[in-house]
Amino acid sequence: MISKAGSSPHLHDTRTVGVVMADVCIALVPGLLCYAWLFGPGVLLQCILAVSFALLFEFAVLRLRGRDPRPFLRDGSAVVTALLFAVSISPSAPWWVSLCGIAFAIIIAKHAFGGIGYNLFNPAMAGYVFVLVCFPVQMNTWPDLPAQGIGAYLGSIFPMAGGQLDMLSGATPLDELKTRLEMMEMVSEIKTASVYGYFGGAGWEWINALFLLGGIYMLARGVIKWHIPAAVLAGILIVSAAFYLYDAETYASPLFHLFSGGAMLCAFFIATDPVTASTTGRGRLVYGAMIGILIYLMRQWGAFPDGVAFAVLLANIFVPLIDLLTRPRAFGET
Amino acid sequence: MRELHDFPGGLLLEPHKEVTDQKMSILHPLPERMFLPLQQHIGQPAEPAVQVGDRVLKGQIIARSSGYVSVPVHASTSGKITDIGNYPVPHPTISEAPCIVLEPDGNDAWFDIKPTEEYDRTEPAKLQELIRDCGIVGLGGAGFPAHVKLMEGIENAVDTLIINGVECEPHITCDDRLIQEKASYVVSGARMIRHAVQARHCVIAVEDDMQLAYDALAELVDDDLELVMVPTRYPAGGEKQLIRTLTGKDVPSDGLPIHIGIVIHNVATAAAVYRAVTRGEPIVSRYVTVAGRVDNPVNLQVLIGTPVEDCLATCGYRHSEDNKVIIGGPMMGLRVTSPNMPVIKTTNCIIIEKNAPAYPEMPCIRCGDCADVCPAELLPQQLYWFAKSADYDQAREYRLADCIECGCCAYVCPSRIPLVHYYRHAKAQIGLEQQRSHEADQARQRYTRKIAREKEEAAGKTGKTGAGADRDQDTRAAKQAYVEEALARTRTKRRDRPGPARQTEDSG
């Protein structure tokens, strides 16, 4: 028997998992910078914190599992998980929120299931939900705009360092919408509030637009395929449009939903995680549409302002079934 | 103009063909020793027809075909048989196999070969026999005996005969050069095969980056043959892919091209048929591209059995540990494990490549890129899981057998999983399983036959006692008849007698 290494093909594409993950990171940069510009340096501090924790845990767990950590640290998957987690949590969250979230993401959601390639649930979202449930106060406290200085953020993230953020009471546009709709206000009234911008949440619309741009870059590079983003966005669009057309004063416009919260980040960066998504063409459409619809339903009637993380984790459960039911026909098969 | 269709998946690869496709081929000199494997084709291996020490002439049969799906092996030159035994062969799963070793005497003297006059008046079945006797197999790569495909064509209505000149793997230009240098052989061979299978249409297909070959053929074809250029994309030259491209039809998943009225042969096979018919020449040589990191990359006309080492030396290559030698194309070829490994009928290319540091095999991240490029529209990822977990029933269910081992999936895999290796291994295991169950079936049949035979024998014995019983029965019957006669006589006597005895008799 000829060895594995001697087996054909003898040519390979230069793209490896590491290259793919690096592309994902590049695609995140515009949205991330915009986010940091709007909300202040706390965003970048959260990224640095999360990436450091992620690499640390990844290294430690691989050592414990008796694997050579080098190729796995190089594949960049831990970095992507950390970045997605960091942009999801509040920039003012204290350091231990990040520590707990990343620990859950890497140790439980990723490695307890067998590491990269074997995890059933999106690690970043699992970590996010873990801290959301454990620390609701810290997770739901957002700094007000405009951006505040690094000193204030340092004080907020590392409470022992002194310094403090002003106005931690600020809510995200989705929060605001939800609370005030429950108070029987009209969408047109709510929209006059300062947290709303041109078509989405103030600031958030630009962050979403730039994540969309990053998504287009990944599509152009072939890092992701069109099915999942298209289905997620179509899911949000169609359901929100239906309700909006039914009653525009009780339900926000589709454009608002597409450009608020984590919609674009989810469609292009989170739902497209190949490990936890469906692998067949039709399956990806089903999976994406499921996430899009769930996001809307949860925003509208759920307990939390945004539904991205729960929508993704719920859809993850259905992936094996979707894959089984959407198996394509083989060449020449009738 | 024929409407072309698209096949699923596939890759656009760097062609690297410009290096050799315009260079005249070189006639490779006689090597010192040649290794002729008994099996250079799909099917049963040939059986040696010579002994160590025999002197043979070029074109003489040295191993006979051993069944319907089998072809003979001929001496590639005149010389002496020095050994018959196991030597390295180019094969994906076997490293050594029985070979006949031939030491050339330098005369290159031909055996007595005869041409067939006027092929178009010859019976198709006769042509088929001739093609088998000349050891012709599919020279495109798989090495399926050509006469079997012809026979299918003779027995079934053939709509289209396709002559495949689509050389889709990078580096390889041996068919391209063959067409450019021997276009008339290819065209005449195509006409001969067409006559043999009585095809309604005949198409010769080349890739659209083979302009010179196309021009050479265009000068020779008439209205009877159609010449088509197909878009360059790997694996456009695969049998099923080319059929789809040219006809829009799919070969059934577990069927053959003939099931949809198509027979397909390689251009080199057509040229070999031409030689066989017009001269009676068996396959003793072929075009081989030597490419990659050699001083003089070029096409060689190599005698079958010539060691790879000799071919490389002719192209000015000296081996270094930095390089690896590959037989066949970079996508489907095999790593050469011994310099003695010979060129066989299906060897189209020898490539020298730099030994890249091995990238570690990482876990599958389920990206699905493999499924996008699979030309057989399989799910390579699922097949990989099944192959890895030895779940061969599921692998079969997901049509592992339809995998053509083109390597597209492994090429794009970002985790660098040697997918084709897993599939080959699984296929081999399934083959073994089938062989075992076949053997078990045979054993069961033998057993039931044995039981039946024993029963028959046993029945034979009771048959004898039965005959005795008959005789006994006869005597018994005779005795009974005698008794009854006696009883009857007594009855009549009693009836004649008055009294209760008669009543008793009546009630009894």
Side-chain angles (χ1 to χ4, degrees):
Chain A
M1 189 91 190
I2 285 162
S3 71
K4 256 191 204 178
S7 177
S8 68
H10 308 281
L11 282 181
H12 289 285
D13 200 359
T14 47
R15 173 178 294 162
T16 59
V17 178
V19 174
V20 170
M21 296 297 175
D23 258 340
V24 175
C25 293
I26 291 170
L28 269 172
V29 167
L32 195 63
L33 288 181
C34 176
Y35 185 22
W37 182 65
L38 286 164
F39 281 86
V43 173
L44 300 177
L45 284 176
Q46 293 291 356
C47 289
I48 294 167
L49 211 54
V51 169
S52 318
F53 286 143
L55 290 174
L56 196 72
F57 284 128
E58 181 86 2
F59 176 81
V61 177
L62 284 164
R63 272 319 249 312
L64 278 175
R65 292 179 63 203
R67 308 285 166 97
D68 178 7
R70 279 169 302 178
F72 291 96
L73 288 175
R74 266 202 296 265
D75 74 19
S77 62
V79 174
V80 170
T81 297
L83 289 177
L84 292 177
F85 175 84
V87 296
S88 301
I89 62 170
S90 163
S92 60
W95 61 273
W96 39 266
V97 167
S98 185
L99 178 79
C100 294
I102 293 292
F104 189 84
I106 300 289
I107 301 171
I108 306 295
K110 189 178 184 185
H111 282 288
F113 285 86
I116 184 171
Y118 295 92
N119 48 309
L120 291 181
F121 297 102
N122 187 306
M125 290 302 101
Y128 171 80
V129 164
F130 178 73
V131 288
L132 183 64
V133 172
C134 294
F135 315 114
V137 176
Q138 286 78 3
M139 289 294 286
N140 285 313
T141 312
W142 288 70
D144 263 350
L145 296 179
Q148 296 164 54
I150 190 156
Y153 270 109
L154 278 174
S156 173
I157 298 172
F158 303 102
M160 55 284 209
Q164 213 176 1
L165 269 182
D166 289 331
M167 293 193 290
L168 277 167
S169 59
T172 63
L174 281 169
D175 269 325
E176 177 98 355
L177 177 74
K178 196 174 182 69
T179 329
R180 291 179 64 178
L181 276 176
E182 277 162 11
M183 286 160 25
M184 306 306 281
E185 285 185 64
M186 306 280 235
V187 169
S188 50
E189 279 178 74
I190 306 169
K191 278 280 189 76
T192 55
S194 64
V195 291
Y196 296 94
Y198 297 96
F199 45 88
W204 288 99
E205 57 198 5
W206 301 117
I207 299 171
N208 268 286
L210 286 168
F211 279 140
L212 170 66
L213 187 76
I216 293 168
Y217 166 79
M218 288 197 292
L219 280 172
R221 292 272 296 157
V223 171
I224 56 169
K225 289 164 195 101
W226 63 271
H227 307 74
I228 293 176
V232 171
L233 298 179
I236 297 176
L237 179 74
I238 292 168
V239 187
S240 61
F243 281 98
Y244 180 68
L245 290 176
Y246 170 68
D247 184 355
E249 284 302 335
T250 333
Y251 301 101
S253 75
L255 202 59
F256 173 80
H257 277 290
L258 287 175
F259 285 90
S260 296
M264 291 295 169
L265 186 71
C266 172
F268 290 98
F269 293 89
I270 299 170
T272 51
D273 166 32
V275 177
T276 55
S278 172
T279 62
T280 66
R282 277 185 301 146
R284 286 191 184 121
L285 291 176
V286 173
Y287 171 78
M290 198 169 175
I291 291 175
I293 294 166
L294 282 171
I295 286 177
Y296 183 80
L297 296 180
M298 288 180 182
R299 277 181 181 180
Q300 203 65 49
W301 292 286
F304 295 92
D306 204 351
V308 166
F310 291 103
V312 169
L313 294 178
L314 272 175
N316 287 162
I317 298 174
F318 288 93
V319 163
L321 184 68
I322 296 172
D323 278 351
L324 193 71
L325 296 179
T326 56
R327 182 188 146 195
R329 143 196 186 281
F331 192 88
E333 189 180 16
T334 44
Chain B
M1 200 60 205
R2 182 171 280 266
E3 187 202 345
L4 296 183
H5 304 261
D6 200 21
F7 68 87
L11 297 170
L12 291 171
L13 300 170
E14 281 284 318
H16 298 297
K17 300 204 186 217
E18 67 292 341
V19 187
T20 50
D21 69 355
Q22 294 189 26
K23 276 195 201 165
M24 197 67 192
S25 68
I26 298 176
L27 208 57
H28 189 273
L30 280 176
E32 270 173 33
R33 271 205 309 174
M34 320 178 92
F35 301 87
L36 294 146
L38 295 178
Q39 180 153 29
Q40 303 178 33
H41 53 267
I42 288 174
Q44 297 109 302
E47 286 161 357
V50 287
Q51 280 168 351
V52 176
D54 283 3
R55 295 212 156 265
V56 292
L57 290 169
K58 183 175 187 167
Q60 185 180 339
I61 288 183
I62 53 174
R64 284 188 209 92
S65 75
S66 61
Y68 180 55
V69 188
S70 179
V71 292
V73 178
H74 301 80
S76 304
T77 183
S78 58
K80 199 171 118 188
I81 308 293
T82 55
D83 192 16
I84 301 176
N86 282 335
Y87 286 95
V89 291
H91 190 281
T93 50
I94 298 165
S95 54
E96 285 194 344
C99 292
I100 296 175
V101 185
L102 175 64
E103 222 176 78
D105 57 15
N107 299 330
D108 208 25
W110 271 99
F111 188 63
D112 180 26
I113 51 171
K114 283 190 288 287
T116 305
E117 306 290 343
E118 298 185 21
Y119 75 90
D120 43 359
R121 294 214 195 131
T122 312
E123 285 267 312
K126 271 266 190 287
L127 279 181
Q128 186 232 351
E129 225 169 80
L130 171 77
I131 284 163
R132 182 196 60 208
D133 293 343
C134 285
I136 299 177
V137 297
L139 296 177
F144 193 72
H147 69 273
V148 179
K149 277 192 192 174
L150 280 182
M151 199 59 207
E152 288 160 2
I154 292 167
E155 286 170 348
N156 297 278
V158 176
D159 180 70
T160 309
L161 166 67
I162 296 171
I163 302 297
N164 184 355
V166 181
E167 220 167 9
C168 52
E169 278 210 61
H171 294 291
I172 310 180
T173 57
C174 63
D175 288 348
D176 194 349
R177 282 313 305 176
L178 170 82
I179 298 172
Q180 290 182 46
E181 294 172 18
K182 307 238 159 74
S184 67
Y185 288 24
V186 174
V187 173
S188 305
R191 291 197 171 111
M192 289 165 185
I193 299 173
R194 182 186 186 175
H195 166 73
V197 299
Q198 296 290 311
R200 282 172 57 206
H201 309 282
C202 177
V203 186
I204 303 180
V206 294
E207 263 187 322
D208 60 10
D209 63 356
M210 295 167 68
Q211 190 61 49
L212 292 171
Y214 182 89
D215 294 343
L217 290 168
E219 274 183 25
L220 296 165
V221 297
D222 250 324
D223 288 347
D224 61 331
L225 300 176
E226 204 179 325
L227 191 54
V228 178
M229 264 190 178
V230 302
T232 300
R233 179 155 60 108
Y234 181 77
E239 194 171 83
K240 292 181 175 184
Q241 285 66 39
L242 185 59
I243 291 172
R244 161 76 87 89
T245 306
L246 293 176
T247 67
K249 292 186 207 165
D250 282 1
V251 177
S253 176
D254 40 13
L256 296 168
I258 191 65
H259 296 147
I260 51 170
I262 290 166
V263 170
I264 181 161
H265 281 287
N266 183 265
V267 283
T269 313
V273 167
Y274 170 81
R275 285 172 194 259
V277 171
T278 55
R279 302 183 201 155
E281 235 181 81
I283 292 195
V284 289
S285 75
R286 67 157 299 141
Y287 276 68
V288 177
T289 308
V290 181
R293 292 156 65 91
V294 292
D295 291 347
N296 179 27
V298 72
N299 277 282
L300 301 175
Q301 293 182 50
V302 186
L303 294 174
I304 307 295
T306 303
V308 164
E309 197 181 28
D310 290 54
C311 299
L312 290 174
T314 305
C315 296
Y317 173 75
R318 241 169 293 128
H319 190 62
S320 102
E321 286 305 311
D322 296 346
N323 296 331
K324 57 182 177 186
V325 184
I326 295 157
I327 269 195
M331 293 300 286
M332 293 183 73
L334 306 159
R335 184 82 176 262
V336 171
T337 45
S338 153
N340 278 341
M341 206 176 257
V343 166
I344 63 170
K345 291 174 186 176
T346 52
T347 307
N348 45 17
C349 186
I350 302 166
I351 304 175
I352 306 297
E353 278 193 354
K354 198 173 165 57
N355 242 336
Y359 185 88
E361 178 183 342
M362 298 288 285
C364 169
I365 58 162
R366 296 168 33 93
C367 64
D369 285 353
C370 48
D372 289 346
V373 297
C374 178
E377 285 186 311
L378 301 171
L379 294 175
Q381 190 196 119
Q382 272 75 357
L383 288 173
Y384 157 71
W385 294 117
F386 297 139
K388 204 176 174 185
S389 58
D391 189 349
Y392 300 131
D393 288 339
Q394 279 287 357
R396 246 186 304 196
E397 176 73 11
Y398 276 67
R399 299 187 175 271
L400 176 64
D402 285 346
C403 168
I404 57 171
E405 298 176 22
C406 64
C408 288
C409 51
Y411 176 87
V412 296
C413 180
S415 294
R416 294 282 177 92
I417 301 170
L419 293 161
V420 179
H421 172 82
Y422 284 102
Y423 305 151
R424 279 200 189 117
H425 182 74
K427 280 181 179 175
Q429 291 300 316
I430 290 172
L432 274 180
E433 244 172 53
Q434 276 169 345
Q435 198 185 330
R436 256 182 242 133
S437 86
H438 178 70
E439 279 168 5
D441 279 349
Q442 281 189 327
R444 196 175 305 119
Q445 277 171 15
R446 270 200 304 276
Y447 180 71
T448 39
R449 269 201 299 262
K450 182 183 164 225
I451 295 288
R453 210 167 42 239
E454 279 174 358
K455 245 189 207 156
E456 217 168 84
E457 275 166 22
K461 263 176 211 160
T462 40
K464 268 175 217 155
T465 44
D470 279 351
R471 265 200 307 279
D472 292 355
Q473 230 160 18
D474 286 350
T475 42
R476 224 177 293 151
K479 275 180 190 164
Q480 205 164 356
Y482 176 78
V483 172
E484 259 163 38
E485 232 176 359
L487 276 175
R489 269 200 310 270
T490 329
R491 264 183 232 131
T492 20
K493 276 182 196 166
R494 280 188 188 166
R495 217 178 280 146
D496 295 342
R497 237 192 285 167
R502 190 180 164 188
Q503 275 167 1
T504 326
E505 181 67 29
D506 278 354
S507 64

